[in-house]
Amino acid sequence: MLKRRIALNLSILLISVLAPQGCASLAETDRGLLNTPAMDLRTRQTPEQSSVLTTLGSLKKGNAGGACTVCAH
Amino acid sequence: MLTGAAASIASPALALQQSVMTAYTMTEVSGSPSLSSGLAASPVGTSQESLNYRIDGIQKYFNYAGGVSVRQPNYGNFIVRDRTGQEHTLRELGNTGNEIASDQTIEAVVGDHRATLGWSGLLSASPLGYHALNASYQHGFFGKSTLLGVQLTYLNQQQPETYFIDRDLRSRSRPRVIHGNEAVVTLDQVLSERWKMSLDLSTAERTEERPRNIGVTLGQAYALANRLTVQGRARRFAELRGQSLKNERGYFTMSQGEIGLIYEPVYDLLVSASYGLGVESEHNPDTGIDQIAASDQYGLGVKYSFRDYEILAQGSLNQGNTSYQSSSFTGGFTWKL
């Protein structure tokens, strides 16, 4: 149990040190392709997937479209 | 954008960018997504015309976006039950008029910090009137190759008077007002000069109606070539089964996966196609009834920017494994003033 806890803590420490260093190197990445509209993950190019049975994942849309298209009643 | 003589004497801090967008959206719905009799949901189609305005660079740090839309919902399939169990559609009860909605957002961008505050809601009477407040904050790290943020949403939604039979076989009224809340932690990460990802961890609840749910959304975008990009998304949401049920329905889960290709044949013309598969399930511990609904969604999109204008067209077709089918179309035009 103690060995497992030590291994977990060392892993977290290692990730906490290496991850920022790895991310820091990405600051120098050429953004020529990354900044194009096609690479924008937050602006959709096709309509968002709609759900058939529930309204899960759609609360921030309020009642866009006039009503919840399918209400989980 | 200031032009001519005004631009030569105006400081960059005062330069404003304005744009006006108009769009038309139509959604058609047919069939019922539920597999079990007596559990039919209420599909609603609608058409909508919207006018939006955006201005960037107010006092150097602020941007504003707002819009108004006029909607024509089709309540012909939205069923409500009265105390005696008689069913009526909302259209039969006189809900046939246009509805007016609005949304407003203020954004502040200072260095690596970005914050937004927004409101959206219906301005006219509606059996499903609502208003929502949302706020977000995002911070960029390592030259904005990492963007970490949080989004909060509060929803107040009205519902028409309708009754249902609960698990004790008693007639009960559904709540007339729903209070919803959602919190999302977002991460956008550059992985290489051709590859980026997004990750959202969320929790949401419609307090009077459904148990709290948690969700994860993973997105990936990869530039296969200078003019060809592939995007993929996977989402998983599940209601917490440790929380009690508040109506006759069971616990829902939803899994969706989507892949899309975006091609730029000429400069500033994007042609997109996507396919998505969704699987939703309901587990009711009281009745022992489980049901699964699956759906395919096909999407197309075209966007073209030229000079100070942009034209957009998107369409989708969603087919379920029941009789349910929906389609949508959006056409938009943006003029950068």
Side-chain angles (χ1 to χ4, degrees):
Chain A
M1 183 69 177
L2 179 61
K3 286 183 181 177
R4 201 175 293 175
R5 185 176 295 180
I6 292 173
L8 177 63
N9 288 340
L10 281 176
S11 302
I12 293 173
L13 183 63
L14 209 60
I15 292 171
S16 303
V17 170
L18 291 179
Q21 291 183 358
C23 290
S25 67
L26 293 171
E28 306 301 321
T29 304
D30 181 2
R31 309 288 176 93
L33 286 173
L34 293 170
N35 290 336
T36 60
M39 289 288 286
D40 186 351
L41 283 165
R42 298 294 178 184
T43 302
R44 293 190 58 90
Q45 305 298 330
T46 58
E48 186 163 346
Q49 265 187 289
S50 58
S51 52
V52 173
L53 201 60
T54 79
T55 57
L56 290 172
S58 65
L59 188 140
K60 66 168 65 68
K61 300 192 194 71
N63 264 335
C68 48
T69 55
V70 176
C71 297
H73 282 157
Chain B
M1 178 74 76
L2 296 174
T3 58
S8 65
I9 59 175
S11 68
L14 297 177
L16 298 173
Q17 294 188 359
Q18 305 173 75
S19 58
V20 174
M21 295 145 281
T22 180
Y24 171 76
T25 301
M26 182 181 67
T27 304
E28 292 288 335
V29 180
S30 64
S32 169
S34 287
L35 304 176
S36 306
S37 61
L39 295 176
S42 303
V44 177
T46 186
S47 62
Q48 171 180 306
E49 301 83 35
S50 62
L51 183 65
N52 298 279
Y53 172 75
R54 181 180 177 92
I55 180 167
D56 296 310
I58 304 170
Q59 295 297 317
K60 185 177 177 184
Y61 301 115
F62 297 96
N63 308 316
Y64 164 80
V68 175
S69 59
V70 179
R71 302 173 175 173
Q72 299 84 38
N74 179 3
Y75 291 130
N77 290 329
F78 197 105
I79 298 171
V80 296
R81 293 186 181 85
D82 61 21
R83 289 177 184 271
T84 64
Q86 291 289 318
E87 292 185 352
H88 310 276
T89 68
L90 282 183
R91 183 193 285 172
E92 291 171 357
L93 296 177
N95 295 287
T96 58
N98 291 341
E99 297 176 353
I100 301 174
S102 177
D103 59 89
Q104 319 285 331
T105 302
I106 294 178
E107 178 186 49
V109 181
V110 180
D112 291 331
H113 305 273
R114 177 178 173 270
T116 67
L117 185 63
W119 174 91
S120 62
L122 282 179
L123 302 177
S124 61
S126 167
L128 294 157
Y130 75 97
H131 62 261
L133 294 172
N134 53 81
S136 73
Y137 171 74
Q138 188 181 63
H139 185 83
F141 301 90
F142 311 116
K144 293 188 178 180
S145 60
T146 300
L147 298 173
L148 186 62
V150 61
Q151 299 173 359
L152 302 174
T153 301
Y154 167 78
L155 170 71
N156 182 300
Q157 179 195 327
Q158 300 169 19
Q159 297 199 127
E161 182 179 9
T162 182
Y163 292 80
F164 69 101
I165 305 298
D166 66 12
R167 55 184 62 89
D168 297 322
L169 302 180
R170 294 175 303 185
S171 177
R172 280 175 52 193
S173 170
R174 297 196 191 279
R176 298 299 307 275
V177 178
I178 301 291
H179 298 95
N181 59 80
E182 182 181 55
V184 186
V185 174
T186 66
L187 171 67
D188 293 74
Q189 179 65 57
V190 168
L191 298 175
S192 76
E193 60 183 25
R194 290 179 172 271
W195 187 17
K196 67 196 305 187
M197 63 158 276
S198 66
L199 178 67
D200 294 351
L201 302 175
S202 65
T203 177
E205 183 182 22
R206 293 165 64 90
T207 309
E208 293 83 357
E209 194 174 59
R210 302 300 310 163
R212 177 165 290 278
N213 68 76
I214 57 174
V216 57
T217 303
L218 177 66
Q220 303 272 327
Y222 188 82
L224 297 172
N226 287 350
R227 296 181 181 276
L228 184 64
T229 301
V230 61
Q231 288 194 9
R233 284 180 180 84
R235 309 170 73 195
R236 169 77 177 175
F237 289 85
E239 291 182 331
L240 298 177
R241 299 197 177 185
Q243 298 203 342
S244 57
L245 295 168
K246 296 162 188 175
N247 55 31
E248 80 281 24
R249 303 301 295 265
Y251 294 100
F252 288 90
T253 62
M254 181 183 77
S255 301
Q256 290 181 334
E258 181 186 30
I259 187 166
L261 284 175
I262 304 165
Y263 180 56
E264 188 175 5
V266 298
Y267 184 66
D268 274 348
L269 172 63
L270 296 180
V271 181
S272 311
S274 65
Y275 168 74
L277 173 66
V279 178
E280 297 160 82
S281 67
E282 177 187 6
H283 168 69
N284 196 322
D286 295 320
T287 64
I289 295 176
D290 289 352
Q291 61 173 340
I292 297 177
S295 60
D296 298 297
Q297 179 158 319
Y298 308 90
L300 288 174
V302 176
K303 184 188 290 185
Y304 182 51
S305 301
F306 58 103
R307 287 191 284 181
D308 295 328
Y309 310 103
E310 183 178 275
I311 298 175
L312 160 74
Q314 294 182 349
S316 70
L317 174 64
N318 186 303
Q319 290 181 309
N321 63 331
T322 63
S323 60
Y324 181 84
Q325 178 172 302
S326 72
S327 60
S328 72
F329 170 78
T330 298
F333 177 80
T334 300
W335 176 26
K336 297 171 189 174
L337 302 171

